[in-house]
Amino acid sequence: NAGVTQTPKFQVLKTGQSMTLQCAQDMNHEYMSWYRQDPGMGLRLIHYSVGAGITDQGEVPNGYNVSRSTTEDFPLRLLSAAPSQTSVYFCASTRRGRGSNTEAFFGQGTRLTVV
Amino acid sequence: AQSVAQPEDQVNVAEGNPLTVKCTYSVSGNPYLFWYVQYPNRGLQFLLKYITGDNLVKGSYGFEAEFNKSQTSFHLKKPSALVSDSALYFCAVHSGGGYQKVTFGTGTKLQVIP
C-alpha cells in the first residue's frame, strides 16, 4: 500500500516551459488536492477534486490546470512556468467521511525551481 | 472565512521538558481541528484531530492537544520532548459539508535541544 505517490521529487524548469506533476493514490479516496508550500505562508490550496471528473479552484489557482479522469490520478499542469511558481508542491488525498472529519494523506512533495 | 494562527515561528525546548505548540482558530460553526507534522524533506503526516467529545485529544508519538472553545485554541502538547520530535508542526481546520476546505496555519518549527 503505497499511499500517495508524487513524481518527480525535484524539477528545474526554465521560464515559459510547461510540465506536469504527477500524483497517484491507491487508497480509493474520493478527495484529492494540490497545495504549494512557501516559507512563512504554510500550505495554500491550488486545486482540488471531489471525485473523478470533478475539479475546482482553490486559493491560488492561476497558472495551474488539473484534471481527474480516474479516482487514482490527479495531475497538476503548469502551463507556462514563472519564477513565482518556485515552491514545494504537495498532493493530498482524503477519504470522504462524515462532514469534514477525515485526515489528509500527503505525498512526499515535488521541489520545483523555475529559473 | 476560516483562519488558523500559529503565533510562534519557532519553539525551542530542552529534551525531557514538556512542550507546547500554540494554535488559535476562527471558524463559523463547529470546528474540526487537526495537527500535522512535517519532517525534513517529507510530506505532512497526521498527528491527531478534534471532532467532538473530550476536549483532550491523544494522538501519535505521545502527543496530545487540548481544545478550548472559549479561547478558540487547540494547543499541541507533549509531557516530555524527544530530539526526534524536532520538526515542523502545522495546525489545520477542516470545514465544509461536502468537500472539506482545509486551512493551514503557517507552521511552527519545533527544535528539541539535547
Side-chain angles (χ1 to χ4, degrees):
Chain A
N1 192 340
V4 179
T5 303
Q6 285 183 241
T7 56
K9 292 186 178 179
F10 302 94
Q11 183 71 49
V12 178
L13 287 179
K14 294 182 178 179
T15 298
Q17 286 185 317
S18 62
M19 79 161 293
T20 300
L21 280 63
Q22 302 292 343
C23 175
Q25 53 96 3
D26 61 0
M27 297 172 284
N28 202 31
H29 285 172
E30 293 87 350
Y31 301 149
M32 296 187 74
S33 311
W34 276 102
Y35 295 88
R36 58 178 290 172
Q37 183 180 21
D38 301 292
M41 303 189 74
L43 277 76
R44 293 181 291 168
L45 181 64
I46 304 171
H47 285 284
Y48 65 95
S49 169
V50 299
I54 306 171
T55 64
D56 207 345
Q57 296 181 351
E59 182 184 354
V60 288
N62 292 340
Y64 308 95
N65 273 357
V66 292
S67 60
R68 184 117 178 253
S69 57
T70 66
T71 299
E72 295 77 19
D73 299 301
F74 191 45
L76 177 72
R77 282 181 284 278
L78 278 70
L79 309 174
S80 177
S84 61
Q85 294 178 303
T86 294
S87 187
V88 181
Y89 292 84
F90 288 100
C91 178
S93 75
T94 312
R95 176 179 56 83
R96 181 172 61 192
R98 181 181 172 191
S100 304
N101 63 356
T102 53
E103 60 271 23
F105 291 78
F106 287 83
Q108 294 203 358
T110 297
R111 187 173 294 273
L112 176 68
T113 302
V114 182
V115 298
Chain B
Q2 60 193 39
S3 64
V4 176
Q6 292 182 244
E8 301 154 318
D9 290 336
Q10 181 159 337
V11 170
N12 297 323
V13 63
E15 186 177 23
N17 282 3
L19 69 88
T20 299
V21 182
K22 297 180 180 177
C23 171
T24 59
Y25 67 90
S26 174
V27 63
S28 57
N30 294 324
Y32 298 117
L33 298 162
F34 291 70
W35 277 101
Y36 293 88
V37 58
Q38 184 181 30
Y39 297 103
N41 300 313
R42 302 292 298 275
L44 279 70
Q45 299 175 29
F46 167 73
L47 264 184
L48 50 78
K49 64 182 176 183
Y50 172 82
I51 303 301
T52 187
D54 195 347
N55 289 344
L56 185 64
V57 178
K58 294 187 183 299
S60 305
Y61 312 120
F63 283 93
E64 57 189 28
E66 186 170 9
F67 171 67
N68 188 316
K69 188 173 183 178
S70 63
Q71 296 185 3
T72 62
S73 67
F74 189 55
H75 299 332
L76 181 70
K77 300 180 180 183
K78 188 174 182 181
S80 178
L82 300 173
V83 172
S84 57
D85 293 330
S86 298
L88 188 57
Y89 291 81
F90 289 95
C91 183
V93 58
H94 295 206
S95 69
Y99 173 72
Q100 50 176 260
K101 289 190 179 291
V102 183
T103 300
F104 288 90
T106 52
T108 298
K109 182 179 180 180
L110 174 66
Q111 190 75 37
V112 180
I113 303 164

